[in-house]
Amino acid sequence: MSDIYPIKWNADTKILTLLDQTLLPHEEVYNEYADPEEVAEAIRSLVVRGAPAIGCAAAFGVVLASMRYTGTETGELKALVNSAMETLGATRPTAVNLFRALDRMGSFLDTLTEVPCDRIQSDLEKEALAILDEDLAACRRIGDFGSELVPANSKILTHCNAGALATAGYGTALGVIRSAFRDNKVSMVWVDETRPVLQGARLTAWEMARENIPATLITDNAAGAIMAAGEVDFVVVGADRIASNGDVANKIGTYNVAVLAERHNIPFVVAAPLTTVDPSLPTGESIPIEERSPDEVAGYGDLSWAPEKIHIYNPAFDVTPAELITAIVTEKGIVLTPFGPGLASLLVTE
Amino acid sequence: MSDIYPIKWNADTKILTLLDQTLLPHEEVYNEYADPEEVAEAIRSLVVRGAPAIGCAAAFGVVLASMRYTGTETGELKALVNSAMETLGATRPTAVNLFRALDRMGSFLDTLTEVPCDRIQSDLEKEALAILDEDLAACRRIGDFGSELVPANSKILTHCNAGALATAGYGTALGVIRSAFRDNKVSMVWVDETRPVLQGARLTAWEMARENIPATLITDNAAGAIMAAGEVDFVVVGADRIASNGDVANKIGTYNVAVLAERHNIPFVVAAPLTTVDPSLPTGESIPIEERSPDEVAGYGDLSWAPEKIHIYNPAFDVTPAELITAIVTEKGIVLTPFGPGLASLLVTE
């Protein structure tokens, strides 16, 4: 199991605590939040990141917005909450879990009619806690389903961090690795460093080291060479948004890994909760791709290594077409190609 | 044209000057060398890097070794030079140009029998200058031949730095880009940052900015996404060693780019002088691949972002099989598949 929980809610103090992922692995700092705008900024600045974790954090941002209201007018309270939801929804465009969590909180709020304000506040709190609990439970089920796909004695490559840090806990892709490791199937985890923000080098490496899962950090550039050397048996990654047909938006470079895996006949598996599926999009082509600051590419932190005059393009995600994906592992089971009908049936029964 | 010359020899002072490429792009510092051991260290620490440039620098290291001898015993002089050649040859294992240059200097030394020491010194100096001049001339021819392959209005992607900085001047892959830009065929150069040492972000970006060639820096991870978006028409890279069959060892991540280019039907062209071809190796499988310090992956410079406990694997090169290569551009012309006979015929007439 994993004891890493990036998002904690204190039911007594009504304070949200986020593990500051920008400071990992060298510092383990927990920030406290009582202000929804500050939660939005934490999402924007990657203090909390990873599609499911963003959704959970945003849900508590909504709770915090409601808690700030000290009056008794339901309409005023709802207006305040709706305004905070707009702010939270404008932070990052690609991960659909954010919008799913906000929609769920908003729809739930809509059902709370003729209810006093303090009851609305406590009901929203319960709903956010349910989102957090469900995500953690979903990750554990994803991990266990996914482990069934992992061959014995596997060397597994992963890209970015779809770990406990990216979820309520346990992780999606790293949930599969955790369960497979528990099942004695993992001989090595290859960790792509994942430029530019280095979620692999900083976060996945930290999670693996902390739990003594055998892992080796590589540059993203080395993934092809180790596949060509026969050193990768299985690839598992997370997802930020999955279109109806199974096309997957995930961290930039995921597509490169999928193309390399196909060349080497290595299973390429996506692990994600059903909240990551966006049934409104027929294919990955219409998934909005966040473009982030050139500073992330020009250097790292305060260090800049690129010449000042150079133009930079920094898309944070890419789209892997369904044809390159072997399986999508959800909390309700494993979906195989063609993904469309399989995903649709799981969503209907959700 | 390019006015970037990373290696300069002062015939009056007998001092070698190397542009310190570890400090680029922020500082343009030229180091002076009179000691062959220091030249070896400059090669090892990447002050000078790039297969052809390493060969040229090593040739002058041999000259410097001979210059240190102030006696009149030919045997003593030759022993000193041979010892320096061993040191220079033990610096970096993958680029064959190093060994070709040292072999050439050694074979030439062997021909200098019954010749006074000062004449040996001046003859070795002339031979090293010839190697430098020939490399520059080869790069210009490679550039002009390669430009013929570039379609009009091309967006060209390159990986690492096979530029003026990696050669005596003008560059191999960047030589092709320079000639194609001169021929008005280049609308954009996509520069892979090339982790871990960031030769793309630091050196290729610097060369492009300095000559106002339109360029955009990306992470290595973004190469697949821009190809999928139809934004790459042509890929050109250098080489550190080419086997008889056309398999190419080049900077780690080159193989990833080649696999992506094949998926998108984008020409993948290798530009290299014939000194990069190693006819003793039947295929790329037997090319020795340098493994460099884990520190290069754990961070950059003094900055470390990986957890201390994580294991790291850092191969500096990978091998791209001939089947993924569209053309190999040499100073004697363009070689198409099957590369074996084409390369062999050019080497015979070398």
Side-chain angles (χ1 to χ4, degrees), chain A residues 27 31 33 65 101 119-120 135 137 144 156 158 201 250 272 279 294 337 342:
Chain A
E27 294 179 74
N31 300 338
Y33 297 86
R119 172 73 187 281
I120 290 177
D135 188 63
D144 291 354
I156 305 180
T158 190
N250 192 47
T337 185

Side-chain angles (χ1 to χ4, degrees), chain B residues 95-213:
Chain B
V96 76
N97 313 60
L98 173 64
F99 309 110
R100 295 288 291 268
L102 291 173
D103 285 351
R104 177 165 162 183
M105 295 297 284
S107 301
F108 183 69
L109 181 64
D110 289 342
T111 67
L112 302 176
T113 52
E114 308 195 24
V115 170
C117 286
D118 58 347
R119 172 72 188 281
I120 291 178
Q121 291 163 329
S122 64
D123 280 2
L124 285 175
E125 182 184 7
K126 279 180 203 157
E127 191 70 4
L129 283 168
I131 289 174
L132 192 70
D133 288 347
E134 289 166 24
D135 188 64
L136 181 58
C139 286
R140 290 192 169 134
R141 285 195 295 270
I142 288 167
D144 291 353
F145 280 125
S147 175
E148 295 172 17
L149 296 173
V150 177
N153 197 32
S154 279
K155 295 173 181 165
I156 304 180
L157 184 139
T158 189
H159 189 74
C160 196
N161 174 271
L165 292 168
T167 59
Y170 204 68
T172 51
L174 293 195
V176 172
I177 288 173
R178 283 192 166 90
S179 292
F181 181 70
R182 177 201 64 203
D183 299 342
N184 292 313
K185 290 174 158 186
V186 180
S187 65
M188 179 57 68
V189 178
W190 294 105
V191 180
D192 270 5
E193 64 174 4
T194 318
R195 276 281 292 158
V197 183
L198 297 160
Q199 293 93 339
R202 295 187 304 110
L203 308 180
T204 296
W206 181 78
E207 289 197 31
M208 296 295 97
R210 194 169 152 132
E211 293 172 30
N212 294 310
I213 299 176

Side-chain angles (χ1 to χ4, degrees), chain A residues 24-26 159 188 190-196 198 201-202 204-206 208-210 212 215-226 228 252-256 259-260 262-264 297-298 300-301 303-315 317-318 321 323-324, chain B residues 24-26 159 188 190-196 198 201-202 204-206 208-210 212 215-226 228 252-256 259-260 262-264 297-298 300-301 303-315 317-318 321 323-324:
Chain A
L24 285 174
H26 297 315
H159 190 75
M188 179 57 69
W190 295 105
V191 180
D192 270 4
E193 65 174 7
T194 317
R195 276 280 293 156
L198 297 160
R202 296 188 303 109
T204 297
W206 180 78
M208 296 295 97
R210 194 169 153 133
N212 294 310
T216 299
L217 175 63
I218 55 171
T219 62
D220 307 303
N221 280 328
I226 62 169
I252 191 76
T254 301
Y255 173 62
N256 301 17
V259 170
L260 288 163
E262 186 198 40
R263 177 174 169 87
H264 295 285
V297 178
Y300 187 80
L303 188 66
S304 175
W305 48 63
E308 282 178 19
K309 286 197 295 179
I310 195 78
H311 181 251
I312 288 171
Y313 175 56
N314 182 25
F317 303 92
D318 61 24
E323 68 187 76
L324 296 177
Chain B
L24 285 174
H26 297 315
H159 189 74
M188 179 57 68
W190 294 105
V191 180
D192 270 5
E193 64 174 4
T194 318
R195 276 281 292 158
L198 297 160
R202 295 187 304 110
T204 296
W206 181 78
M208 296 295 97
R210 194 169 152 132
N212 294 310
T216 300
L217 175 63
I218 56 171
T219 62
D220 307 304
N221 279 328
I226 61 169
I252 192 75
T254 301
Y255 173 62
N256 302 16
V259 171
L260 288 164
E262 186 197 40
R263 178 173 169 88
H264 294 285
V297 178
Y300 187 80
L303 189 65
S304 175
W305 49 64
E308 282 178 20
K309 287 198 294 180
I310 195 78
H311 180 252
I312 289 171
Y313 175 55
N314 182 23
F317 303 93
D318 62 23
E323 68 188 73
L324 296 177

Side-chain angles (χ1 to χ4, degrees), chain A residues 169-218:
Chain A
Y170 203 68
T172 52
L174 294 194
V176 172
I177 288 173
R178 283 191 167 91
S179 292
F181 181 69
R182 177 201 64 203
D183 299 342
N184 292 313
K185 289 174 159 187
V186 179
S187 65
M188 179 57 69
V189 179
W190 295 105
V191 180
D192 270 4
E193 65 174 7
T194 317
R195 276 280 293 156
V197 182
L198 297 160
Q199 292 94 340
R202 296 188 303 109
L203 308 180
T204 297
W206 180 78
E207 289 197 31
M208 296 295 97
R210 194 169 153 133
E211 292 171 31
N212 294 310
I213 299 176
T216 299
L217 175 63
I218 55 171

Side-chain angles (χ1 to χ4, degrees), chain A:
Chain A
M1 297 308 292
S2 162
D3 65 347
I4 302 166
Y5 300 102
I7 300 165
K8 290 173 190 168
W9 175 253
N10 188 319
D12 296 325
T13 60
K14 313 301 183 196
I15 294 282
L16 177 68
T17 300
L18 299 176
L19 172 54
D20 188 343
Q21 301 190 34
T22 67
L23 301 178
L24 285 174
H26 297 315
E27 294 179 74
E28 196 170 330
V29 174
Y30 291 84
N31 300 338
E32 298 195 332
Y33 297 86
D35 180 330
E37 272 79 31
E38 288 178 12
V39 174
E41 183 51 32
I43 293 171
R44 200 177 290 113
S45 64
L46 312 183
V47 166
V48 61
R49 31 62 57 201
I54 291 171
C56 295
F60 285 106
V62 172
V63 175
L64 290 173
S66 77
M67 298 279 175
R68 282 207 298 192
Y69 185 69
T70 53
T72 55
E73 292 293 330
T74 306
E76 283 179 12
L77 170 58
K78 288 192 173 184
L80 201 72
V81 169
N82 283 323
S83 163
M85 290 203 291
E86 271 190 38
T87 303
L88 289 159
T91 50
R92 299 195 66 197
T94 302
V96 76
N97 314 61
L98 173 64
F99 310 109
R100 295 289 290 268
L102 291 174
D103 285 351
R104 176 165 162 183
M105 295 297 283
S107 302
F108 183 69
L109 181 64
D110 289 343
T111 67
L112 302 176
T113 52
E114 309 196 23
V115 169
C117 286
D118 58 347
R119 172 73 187 281
I120 290 177
Q121 290 163 330
S122 64
D123 279 3
L124 285 176
E125 181 185 8
K126 280 181 202 155
E127 192 70 5
L129 283 168
I131 290 175
L132 191 70
D133 288 347
E134 289 166 24
D135 188 63
L136 181 58
C139 285
R140 290 191 169 135
R141 285 196 294 270
I142 289 167
D144 291 354
F145 280 125
S147 175
E148 295 172 17
L149 296 173
V150 176
N153 197 31
S154 280
K155 294 174 181 165
I156 305 180
L157 184 139
T158 190
H159 190 75
C160 196
N161 173 271
L165 293 168
T167 59
Y170 203 68
T172 52
L174 294 194
V176 172
I177 288 173
R178 283 191 167 91
S179 292
F181 181 69
R182 177 201 64 203
D183 299 342
N184 292 313
K185 289 174 159 187
V186 179
S187 65
M188 179 57 69
V189 179
W190 295 105
V191 180
D192 270 4
E193 65 174 7
T194 317
R195 276 280 293 156
V197 182
L198 297 160
Q199 292 94 340
R202 296 188 303 109
L203 308 180
T204 297
W206 180 78
E207 289 197 31
M208 296 295 97
R210 194 169 153 133
E211 292 171 31
N212 294 310
I213 299 176
T216 299
L217 175 63
I218 55 171
T219 62
D220 307 303
N221 280 328
I226 62 169
M227 288 188 193
E231 295 293 325
V232 181
D233 304 301
F234 192 84
V235 176
V236 62
V237 297
D240 288 81
R241 194 183 298 217
I242 302 176
S244 300
N245 70 338
D247 290 351
V248 167
N250 192 47
K251 179 61 54 211
I252 191 76
T254 301
Y255 173 62
N256 301 17
V257 175
V259 170
L260 288 163
E262 186 198 40
R263 177 174 169 87
H264 295 285
N265 295 311
I266 298 166
F268 181 91
V269 171
V270 173
L274 287 167
T275 50
T276 309
V277 181
D278 184 351
S280 75
L281 300 184
T283 74
E285 273 185 46
S286 37
I287 298 176
I289 299 297
E290 178 181 8
E291 193 176 337
R292 292 184 62 85
S293 165
D295 294 346
E296 289 182 354
V297 178
Y300 187 80
D302 294 334
L303 188 66
S304 175
W305 48 63
E308 282 178 19
K309 286 197 295 179
I310 195 78
H311 181 251
I312 288 171
Y313 175 56
N314 182 25
F317 303 92
D318 61 24
V319 174
T320 298
E323 68 187 76
L324 296 177
I325 299 169
T326 310
I328 298 176
V329 182
T330 77
E331 70 273 33
K332 291 209 175 157
I334 296 163
V335 184
L336 298 175
T337 185
F339 298 112
L343 290 173
S345 70
L346 293 186
L347 285 171
V348 164
T349 62
E350 192 184 8

